[in-house]
Amino acid sequence: MQQIPFQTNKSSLVMKNAELIQNKTLEGISDIRDESDRSGMRIVIELKRGV
């Protein structure tokens, strides 16, 4: 589990990561999801099998 820096915009972080995955700059990631709710913030990054 990692923490994101203070005052980092969560949605822009997720969008930038999705952009890097789509441009093939980041490889080995199968999915990225924002699972935040009332109890806290959670961003899930799933890796491809064998990575």
Side-chain angles (χ1 to χ4, degrees):
M1 181 182 311
Q2 296 292 321
Q3 295 181 0
I4 63 172
F6 184 68
Q7 292 186 340
T8 300
N9 188 321
K10 177 187 61 163
S11 36
S12 66
L13 176 72
V14 171
M15 293 299 293
K16 182 64 177 175
N17 280 329
E19 201 175 288
L20 291 172
I21 293 166
Q22 191 174 32
N23 294 336
K24 307 266 191 229
T25 305
L26 283 178
E27 294 184 5
I29 298 175
S30 64
D31 191 23
I32 184 167
R33 294 187 310 275
D34 180 8
E35 295 184 353
S36 300
D37 59 9
R38 292 181 189 169
S39 63
M41 186 184 313
R42 180 180 168 106
I43 300 170
V44 177
I45 299 174
E46 289 188 14
L47 301 177
K48 291 180 181 176
R49 194 172 283 202
V51 173

